[in-house]
């Protein structure tokens, strides 16, 4: 009897050891029976990884999140709007009960069905931001130490290419392909055996070139676990519980800075956030309509209190006097560009109704609805300079020399044209914050930009008027003898605005933004 008790206790001990202790981070050589159990820090220090090839699973061993739903919700919302995203949302409870493979196929079908392949840019313009915010710092530091890195994923190739190659510098990406029908995505993934066969060939090539292949995958993906066991000399496994202790990769450690991104959603659409978004939608429509009517028809003395009551937040800071006492023409307000409403908020902040604004691209609808006068520039330097001088003789003028909006804490290169047309330049540092929706787009309809901004419950603007730059001094270039070129003036103003906001100044332009996000040179449809 006592012998039976001992055997039972031994069996229980072995069971708990195997499933609750031994299944922590551990290192295994498939060709040997002996197994080790190093900690996560041991993975950092156990080897010099630079001569080796690291093959890692993206969603199981790199991303902190245990669900892929938010990424497919982003695609559904951006490609199909409310209808497609709502369909995915109501299917989520059923997807969570499905197997991993079936749930993946269902989300792919809902998100991709009927999307034209040549128009799909979301993998490079929208998803990288959210993937980067989900990368575990600890695993990223391991990958940095490797020689060649190979990312393997069950996600479609078009979803992860831009994130891994462009922003993390991963040399090889192996995702899954989708079947096409007449240039459109069918939403049906190719046979997984093709995916595994390609990975097997790739690993064999790496063995021949590097001689040693290390795999990093997840315990929760049995298919990847067995697949990696076939090809890798060493394997490290990650459990979901381990990810909870990981830190998020800081922005300042991104191999390539994230300066541009597109898409309307300003939040990561987790199931909870998506529920809040759909619950807010009916109220948002009514509120946006009321804000639009009030902003376009009421005088500032009434519109500003109403907008504040509806949730708008506007903060104005003025450093010194705006213009010199002997100023004979209007003041030129030079600001960074956050949304199309920048000139309007400057007008609200100063309570001036006669301010005008020049724009490089503005939809006809926005021009018709704008409560202040807007003038479209032609991108002809001579004509635009003459137009701005003429407008300054009539009053104050707002110009955004970046030529396009930027959401992140960066300033694009300032066009120096403004430095040639005025003796009174006031740099204006502007920042804005939204809750649900971005009020800018590069690939969508720009006419809807102000509407999406108004749909937010608490849109916030901060306007800071900096020390003015007067003619005749060392910071203006109208006088050819002052020793400053127009480019130096533009750079000086950009630097002052960047310093006030804590933003980084860049040499990137409007063209760079649109090539990355929309695949064109920035020519927008005038609708």
């Amino acid at each position: 009897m006592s012998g039976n008790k001992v055997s039972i206790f031994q069996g229980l001990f072995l069971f708990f050891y195997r499933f609750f202790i031994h299944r922590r981070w551990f290192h295994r050589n498939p060709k040997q029976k002996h197994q080790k159990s190093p900690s996560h820090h041991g993975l950092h220090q156990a080897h010099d990884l630079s001569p080796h090839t690291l093959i890692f699973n993206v969603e199981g061993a790199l991303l902190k999140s245990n669900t892929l739903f938010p990424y497919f919700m982003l695609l559904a919302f951006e490609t199909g709007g409310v209808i497609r995203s709502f369909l995915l949302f109501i299917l989520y409870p059923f997807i969570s009960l499905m197997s991993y493979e079936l749930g993946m196929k269902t989300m792919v079908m809902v998100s991709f069905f009927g999307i034209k392949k040549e128009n799909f840019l979301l993998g490079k313009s929208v998803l990288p931001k959210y993937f980067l915010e989900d990368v575990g710092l600890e695993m990223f530091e391991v990958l940095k130490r490797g020689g060649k890195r190979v990312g393997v994923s069950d996600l479609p190739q078009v979803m992860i290419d831009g994130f891994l190659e462009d922003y993390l510098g991963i040399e090889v990406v192996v995702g899954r392909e989708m079947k096409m029908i007449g240039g459109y995505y069918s939403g049906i993934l190719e046979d997984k055996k093709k995916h595994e066969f390609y990975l097997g060939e790739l690993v064999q090539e790496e063995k021949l070139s590097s001689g040693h292949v290390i795999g990093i995958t997840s315990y929760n993906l049995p298919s990847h676990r067995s697949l990696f066991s076939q090809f890798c000399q060493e394997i490290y496994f990650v459990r979901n519980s381990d990810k909870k202790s990981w830190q998020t990769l800081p922005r300042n450690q991104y191999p390539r800075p994230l300066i541009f991104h597109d898409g309307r959603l300003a939040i990561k659409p987790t199931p909870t956030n998506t529920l809040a978004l759909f619950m807010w939608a009916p109220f948002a429509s009514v509120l946006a309509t009321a804000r639009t009517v009030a902003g376009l028809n009421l005088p500032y003395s009434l519109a500003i209190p109403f907008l504040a009551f509806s949730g708008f937040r506007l903060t104005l800071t003025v450093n010194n006097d705006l213009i010199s006492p002997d100023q004979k023409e209007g003041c030129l307000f030079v600001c960074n560009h956050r949304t199309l409403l920048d000139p309007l908020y400057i007008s609200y902040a100063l309570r001036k109704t006669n301010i005008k604004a020049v724009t490089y691209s503005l939809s006809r609808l926005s021009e018709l609805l704008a409560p202040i006068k807007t003038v479209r520039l032609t991108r002809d330097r001579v004509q635009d300079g003459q137009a701005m001088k003429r407008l300054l003789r009539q009053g104050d003028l707002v110009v955004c020399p970046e030529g396009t909006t930027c959401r992140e804490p960066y300033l694009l290169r300032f066009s120096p044209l403004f430095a040639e047309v005025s003796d009174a330049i006031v740099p204006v540092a502007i920042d804005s914050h939204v809750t649900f929706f971005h009020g800018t787009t590069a690939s969508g309809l720009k006419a809807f930009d102000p509407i999406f901004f108004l749909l937010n419950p608490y849109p916030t603007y901060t306007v800071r008027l900096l020390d003015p730059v007067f003619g005749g001094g060392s910071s203006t270039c109208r006088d050819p003898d002052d020793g400053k070129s127009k480019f130096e003036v533009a750079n000086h103003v950009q630097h002052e605005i960047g310093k006030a906001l804590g933003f980084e100044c860049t040499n990137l332009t409007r063209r760079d933004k649109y090539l990355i996000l929309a695949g064109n040179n920035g020519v927008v449809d005038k609708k």
Side-chain angles (χ1 to χ4, degrees):
M1 188 71 177
S2 60
N4 291 335
K5 289 183 178 180
V6 171
S7 62
I8 291 174
F9 282 121
Q10 287 178 339
L12 290 175
F13 174 79
L14 291 175
F15 175 82
F16 279 100
Y17 175 80
R18 180 179 178 184
F19 287 94
F20 293 96
I21 299 177
H22 189 59
R23 289 181 64 183
R24 300 299 296 174
W25 273 85
F26 78 95
H27 161 257
R28 181 168 70 90
N29 188 331
K31 298 181 180 179
Q32 298 179 0
K33 293 183 179 180
H34 179 67
Q35 295 179 343
K36 302 178 182 179
S37 304
S39 66
H40 173 263
H41 296 289
L43 184 63
H44 282 264
Q45 303 170 2
H47 301 283
D48 176 14
L49 300 178
S50 58
H52 307 310
T53 295
L54 301 184
I55 300 182
F56 65 95
N57 175 249
V58 177
E59 53 269 26
L62 177 66
L63 302 180
K64 294 178 58 180
S65 175
N66 296 324
T67 176
L68 299 175
F69 172 81
Y71 306 109
F72 286 102
M73 177 56 70
L74 282 166
L75 296 182
F77 186 86
E78 301 299 340
T79 58
V82 175
I83 296 177
R84 192 187 292 257
S85 57
F86 186 71
L87 174 61
L88 180 60
F89 177 68
I90 62 176
L91 288 176
Y92 173 72
F94 304 99
I95 293 173
S96 62
L97 298 176
M98 297 177 184
S99 66
Y100 174 80
E101 180 69 10
L102 183 57
M104 173 77 71
K105 290 181 176 179
T106 303
M107 291 190 289
V108 170
M109 171 63 74
V110 175
S111 303
F112 279 94
F113 177 76
I115 303 302
K116 197 170 184 178
K117 181 179 180 180
E118 66 180 25
N119 293 337
F120 185 84
L121 297 172
L122 303 184
K124 293 183 178 294
S125 62
V126 176
L127 292 177
K129 167 182 167 59
Y130 297 92
F131 277 132
L132 286 169
E133 292 174 349
D134 199 18
V135 171
L137 173 62
E138 287 78 358
M139 182 54 65
F140 177 73
E141 290 177 343
V142 171
L143 295 179
K144 282 198 307 182
R145 297 174 53 236
K148 186 174 183 180
R149 288 80 53 85
V150 180
V152 181
S153 175
D154 282 327
L155 291 169
Q157 184 87 13
V158 293
M159 289 181 64
I160 58 175
D161 263 342
F163 154 60
L164 292 174
E165 293 182 356
D166 297 343
Y167 288 95
L168 291 189
I170 303 302
E171 290 81 4
V172 181
V173 179
V174 183
R176 298 177 68 176
E177 299 294 340
M178 280 182 290
K179 296 181 179 180
M180 306 295 299
I181 301 178
Y184 290 82
Y185 291 116
S186 66
I188 300 175
L189 290 170
E190 293 282 3
D191 189 351
K192 195 169 184 179
K193 291 183 179 179
K194 294 182 179 180
H195 181 237
E196 295 176 355
F197 178 75
Y198 176 72
L199 177 60
E201 287 189 329
L202 180 65
V203 174
Q204 293 300 331
E205 293 176 2
E206 293 303 323
K207 282 184 179 180
L208 294 176
S209 61
S210 68
H212 201 73
V213 179
I214 299 176
I216 308 173
T217 186
S218 171
Y219 258 124
N220 302 89
L221 298 176
S223 60
H224 286 170
R225 185 169 59 196
S226 60
L227 186 64
F228 277 49
S229 299
Q230 297 176 37
F231 302 118
C232 302
Q233 289 94 342
E234 300 180 33
I235 306 176
Y236 287 86
F237 290 94
V238 182
R239 293 181 61 191
N240 289 338
S241 57
D242 296 309
K243 294 183 180 182
K244 295 179 181 179
S245 63
W246 286 1
Q247 302 179 56
T248 301
L249 179 64
R251 289 181 61 96
N252 60 6
Q253 294 191 33
Y254 290 175
R256 176 186 173 187
L258 178 73
I259 299 176
F260 301 123
H261 63 87
D262 205 11
R264 291 294 189 183
L265 288 182
I267 57 171
K268 184 177 181 179
T270 61
T272 303
N273 288 342
T274 304
L275 175 61
L277 183 64
F278 283 120
M279 292 178 64
W280 168 248
F283 302 99
S285 301
V286 176
L287 189 59
T289 302
R291 288 168 170 172
T292 301
V293 172
L296 295 178
N297 296 284
L298 296 179
Y300 284 178
S301 58
L302 297 178
I304 292 177
F306 176 83
L307 293 175
F309 178 77
S310 72
F312 268 92
R313 300 292 182 265
L314 173 62
T315 302
L316 172 65
T317 303
V318 181
N319 280 13
N320 287 307
D321 295 333
L322 297 184
I323 59 174
S324 60
D326 57 347
Q327 179 66 26
K328 297 179 180 179
E329 59 184 23
C331 184
L332 181 62
F333 295 97
V334 178
C335 64
N336 61 304
H337 205 3
R338 302 300 278 180
T339 77
L340 293 178
L341 300 176
D342 294 338
L344 182 59
Y345 267 89
I346 293 176
S347 175
Y348 276 129
L350 299 176
R351 295 179 180 265
K352 290 186 176 183
T353 59
N354 62 340
I355 288 182
K356 302 176 181 62
V358 290
T359 63
Y360 285 100
S361 63
L362 191 66
S363 67
R364 295 299 183 190
L365 178 61
S366 297
E367 286 181 329
L368 291 173
L369 295 179
I372 63 175
K373 183 178 179 179
T374 60
V375 177
R376 187 189 296 268
L377 298 178
T378 64
R379 298 192 182 278
D380 180 282
R381 177 170 294 277
V382 176
Q383 293 184 22
D384 292 343
Q386 293 174 350
M388 291 173 66
K389 291 178 182 178
R390 183 172 60 254
L391 292 171
L392 280 169
R393 287 194 293 267
Q394 300 172 9
D396 296 336
L397 180 65
V398 177
V399 62
C400 303
E402 289 176 287
T404 188
T405 57
C406 184
R407 298 173 178 176
E408 295 300 313
Y410 295 92
L411 295 181
L412 307 187
R413 189 176 70 193
F414 276 26
S415 169
L417 179 60
F418 72 88
E420 303 174 12
V421 301
S422 178
D423 286 326
I425 299 173
V426 177
V428 184
I430 291 180
D431 201 4
S432 63
H433 297 281
V434 294
T435 308
F436 288 128
F437 304 105
H438 287 296
T440 60
T441 183
S443 58
L445 292 176
K446 296 183 72 63
F448 291 159
D449 286 2
I451 297 175
F452 272 96
F453 187 81
L454 296 175
L455 289 173
N456 289 288
Y458 298 106
T460 302
Y461 248 86
T462 302
V463 178
R464 181 174 178 181
L465 303 176
L466 306 179
D467 293 333
V469 176
F470 295 118
S474 61
S475 298
T476 182
C477 63
R478 297 242 357 231
D479 182 357
D481 298 325
D482 63 5
K484 288 276 187 177
S485 71
K486 59 186 178 183
F487 301 103
E488 290 176 303
V489 175
N491 291 337
H492 168 74
V493 174
Q494 181 201 41
H495 174 75
E496 290 301 312
I497 293 177
K499 184 171 64 174
L501 293 171
F503 289 4
E504 182 178 340
C505 298
T506 74
N507 286 320
L508 298 173
T509 64
R510 170 190 171 87
R511 174 186 171 87
D512 296 320
K513 170 186 170 179
Y514 277 87
L515 284 175
I516 294 173
L517 301 184
N520 57 51
N521 292 331
V523 178
V524 296
D525 189 12
K526 299 175 183 179
K527 294 182 179 179

